[in-house]
Amino acid sequence: QVQPVESGGGLVQPGASLRLSCAASDGSFSRYSMGWFRQGAGKEREWLATIRWMGGTTSYADSVKGRFTISKDTAKKLVFLQMNSLQPEDTAVYYCAATTTVVSAWPSAQYYNYWGQGTQVTVSS
């Protein structure tokens, strides 16, 4: 069992960058793949990216590929989501979640067992 905790959200202007962090407040990420999702107001939860803790395999949603980067710091036990060229449509609550599922199922939120509380990202001028 692991409890993800997100941080790093905030209010930024269009075109800005932001890096979100996800820490394990309880347990360890070593057995899991860690994903980032977001949910905008009135929208469904959207998968963004996932990274396998052991080995570092990554996968991205087409909607953010080339603009968002998922990474990890093994020593600090952190997972990051670097977001560049942010636009108002990126405004959402961003969640970190843990899964043990296979790569092909990474985009499906139902396969993630442990979720953080989320961090708000607002992109506005």
Side-chain angles (χ1 to χ4, degrees):
Q1 187 170 351
V2 64
Q3 181 55 57
V5 178
E6 307 92 339
S7 62
L11 172 64
V12 297
Q13 293 188 339
S17 296
L18 201 61
R19 189 177 78 163
L20 305 181
S21 298
C22 178
S25 70
D26 185 21
S28 170
F29 291 155
S30 62
R31 297 176 53 231
Y32 300 94
S33 298
M34 300 303 300
W36 285 98
F37 290 76
R38 69 184 178 188
Q39 188 165 17
K43 298 181 180 180
E44 294 188 354
R45 191 163 295 190
E46 177 188 11
W47 172 70
L48 302 175
T50 298
I51 185 168
R52 179 176 287 137
W53 190 259
M54 299 299 290
T57 300
T58 60
S59 183
Y60 294 89
D62 288 342
S63 60
V64 301
K65 195 175 296 183
R67 199 162 60 93
F68 289 9
T69 302
I70 190 170
S71 63
K72 62 183 177 72
D73 185 323
T74 303
K76 295 182 178 179
K77 301 179 182 179
L78 294 171
V79 177
F80 304 105
L81 185 68
Q82 176 69 42
M83 305 184 293
N84 299 327
S85 303
L86 286 165
Q87 299 301 318
E89 52 267 32
D90 294 313
T91 295
V93 178
Y94 284 70
Y95 298 91
C96 179
T99 183
T100 57
T101 195
V102 296
V103 173
S104 60
W106 280 359
S108 300
Q110 63 179 315
Y111 294 112
Y112 289 74
N113 306 97
Y114 306 104
W115 292 81
Q117 299 276 6
T119 185
Q120 176 71 46
V121 172
T122 302
V123 185
S124 174
S125 56

